[in-house]
Amino acid sequence: MKLAVVGGGSTYTPELIDGFARLRDTLPITELVLVDPAADRLELVGGLARRIFARQDHDGKIVTTTDLDAGVEGADAVLLQLRVGGQAAREQDETWPLECGCVGQETTGAGGLAKALRTVPVVLDIAERVRRTNPDAWIIDFTNPVGIVTRALLQAGHKAVGLCNVAIGFQRKFAKLLGVAPSEVHLDHVGLNHLTWERSVRIGGPEGENVLPRLLAEHGDAVADDLRLPRPVLDRLGVVPSYYLRYFYAHDEVVRELGTKPSRAAEVAAMERELLEMYGDPALDEKPALLAKRGGAFYSEAAVDLAASLLGGGGSPYQVVNTYNNGTLPFLPDDAVIETQAAVGAHGATPLPVAPVDPLYAGLIANVTAYEDLALEAALRGGRDRVFKALLAHPLVGQYAYADGLTDRLIAHNREHLAWV
């Protein structure tokens, strides 16, 4: 089995390598290709990747290359983990929206739109080259904003499934709090990428006992602290929102907070420099503890599970993924991309039936889906007016003066990445 990772020079990659090594019975990789245009980073990450495989007695071959076409040729699956513009672009995404009094964040709001505009054309070009080289390969998209990018891939006819680590993070956290194995925890996870709620937590599968009320009663303080939301909010809602909902539920508070400290991008950039220095140590043969602070917890387990199921292996029958709605949420178009529990196999991902969604959540889901429609249109066709309309539609912007100012800033900060400017 051959897998290719596009963006293999990422500091995330050793997390992925560690999962491939530990879970080789689930996903028996014989060849892993790390593809990245940054040859210097690729050399460091590739060296550590080989040492991790050797330490864990994995006999798979690890190849590094800057040649995309060669790297994906013959691959059974291609995993995308790109950051177009690097941490420098992320730093901008997180700062210039604050000048207009709006949240600066890399996957939602104005910053998220900027990232989508930079990323969608690049991903589609990569996917088309994968299709020409190897039309049977599955594409697993971990590139943010996952919902918009996955929708672009699916609409272009690619064999693609989107993946995020939010759900598996909740699964692992809840399992630890409840004292059960993670495989026993089944989430009623509903919404869009980075806009989801856990409406039930069932033990033993989709039909198991719902223990969410007990979880909130016994561990609500711990859950609320992780989400940085007040405990009474969780008690009143009776659900667990993803931590990205804080940008919506406490927008003004977050804007004030972000204006008083260095950006997350600056923190991550400093962390990446330290990690790359560590990766260059020939004695290092395991992922360093610092990597846990970089983000992406349990990403490798989710990626292995999904790839194994898509390739006919031993992955879990139900997984939280990003895929076409196809009537699952009746208030959304069929071609909207939702994030939900799905049956995953060689055919792809089929969402499981979802209980009716409360208007409190359905309204926000529908609003952000409309924004994503406009964002994808802007990413595919360009134009200042399309950018303005997408920003005006976003609930974290929503006022014409803000949308106008943000449009100018977005274009000014992303000229080198926008072919239509």
Side-chain angles (χ1 to χ4, degrees):
M1 180 184 296
K2 176 179 177 179
L3 263 68
V5 179
V6 180
S10 168
T11 53
Y12 269 134
T13 299
E15 162 70 26
L16 194 62
I17 300 299
D18 177 73
F20 288 157
R22 289 185 293 101
L23 302 171
R24 55 185 173 272
D25 291 341
T26 303
L27 189 68
I29 297 171
T30 55
E31 182 178 357
L32 177 65
V33 184
L34 306 181
V35 184
D36 202 293
D40 53 343
R41 292 172 63 110
L42 195 57
E43 181 180 358
L44 294 173
V45 173
L48 175 56
R50 294 185 186 96
R51 295 193 297 273
I52 291 173
F53 263 31
R55 177 190 174 97
Q56 300 196 34
D57 296 321
H58 194 301
D59 58 5
K61 179 172 68 171
I62 295 179
V63 177
T64 60
T65 181
T66 58
D67 185 333
L68 174 67
D69 295 322
V72 302
E73 185 175 4
D76 297 287
V78 177
L79 196 151
L80 305 181
Q81 53 173 33
L82 313 178
R83 184 179 295 280
V84 179
Q87 293 298 331
R90 177 180 178 173
E91 169 78 17
Q92 293 177 354
D93 294 344
E94 293 181 353
T95 51
W96 55 260
L98 296 174
E99 297 170 7
C100 296
C102 295
V103 160
Q105 211 278 330
E106 64 158 340
T107 64
T108 192
L113 176 60
K115 186 167 191 178
L117 297 183
R118 293 193 304 269
T119 304
V120 166
V122 174
V123 166
L124 289 178
D125 176 66
I126 291 170
E128 194 57 43
R129 292 166 69 179
V130 170
R131 179 155 55 189
R132 289 199 303 266
T133 305
N134 185 14
D136 293 326
W138 278 102
I139 294 177
I140 297 173
D141 178 58
F142 194 70
T143 297
N144 281 318
V146 167
I148 295 172
V149 173
T150 302
R151 186 170 181 179
L153 288 165
L154 290 173
Q155 286 187 351
H158 298 289
K159 292 176 60 178
V161 180
L163 181 64
C164 181
N165 71 320
V166 167
I168 194 172
F170 275 133
Q171 182 199 45
R172 298 306 172 88
K173 184 176 298 294
F174 295 163
K176 184 176 182 179
L177 292 173
L178 294 166
V180 300
S183 60
E184 290 294 300
V185 176
H186 183 92
L187 303 176
D188 176 13
H189 180 101
V190 65
L192 311 176
N193 179 242
H194 291 184
L195 192 86
T196 52
W197 296 262
E198 312 304 331
R199 300 186 302 169
S200 68
V201 178
R202 299 189 181 276
I203 302 300
E207 306 302 323
E209 176 193 3
N210 178 20
V211 297
L212 180 57
R214 173 162 65 89
L215 180 73
L216 289 176
E218 297 177 359
H219 304 286
D221 287 343
V223 174
D225 286 348
D226 281 344
L227 300 174
R228 301 187 65 198
L229 288 171
R231 166 72 184 271
V233 172
L234 300 191
D235 291 337
R236 293 172 70 182
L237 295 178
V239 303
V240 179
S242 82
Y243 49 86
Y244 288 92
L245 265 297
R246 184 168 183 259
Y247 298 116
F248 295 82
Y249 292 164
H251 176 274
D252 293 353
E253 176 184 337
V254 172
V255 169
R256 289 192 296 270
E257 176 186 295
L258 292 175
T260 63
K261 63 180 184 179
S263 68
R264 172 64 178 164
E267 295 175 358
V268 170
M271 207 178 301
E272 285 200 335
R273 289 190 291 271
E274 188 174 352
L275 284 168
L276 289 170
E277 186 174 345
M278 290 179 176
Y279 295 173
D281 180 356
L284 183 67
D285 58 3
E286 60 184 346
K287 63 178 183 180
L290 178 62
L291 187 55
K293 298 180 180 180
R294 170 68 179 82
F298 309 116
Y299 161 39
S300 61
E301 284 89 341
V304 166
D305 210 13
L306 179 54
S309 293
L310 292 174
L311 299 176
S316 304
Y318 307 121
Q319 298 171 43
V320 173
V321 297
N322 285 259
T323 191
Y324 270 150
N325 177 46
N326 280 340
T328 307
L329 301 181
F331 54 89
L332 295 184
D334 285 349
D335 66 350
V337 165
I338 62 173
E339 185 171 287
T340 191
Q341 287 279 3
V344 182
H347 66 284
T350 303
L352 300 183
V354 170
V357 178
D358 188 289
L360 179 61
Y361 315 122
L364 189 52
I365 292 170
N367 189 340
V368 175
T369 297
Y371 151 75
E372 291 189 348
D373 290 346
L374 296 166
L376 183 53
E377 182 76 0
L380 294 174
R381 300 180 63 191
R384 188 188 188 283
D385 284 349
R386 293 189 181 93
V387 174
F388 170 79
K389 289 176 181 177
L391 288 167
L392 188 62
H394 201 296
L396 295 182
V397 180
Q399 297 184 53
Y400 73 83
Y402 288 172
D404 221 24
L406 289 168
T407 298
D408 291 337
R409 287 168 171 80
L410 186 155
I411 293 172
H413 285 283
N414 289 276
R415 288 185 179 278
E416 65 182 294
H417 301 291
L418 305 178
W420 49 268
V421 173

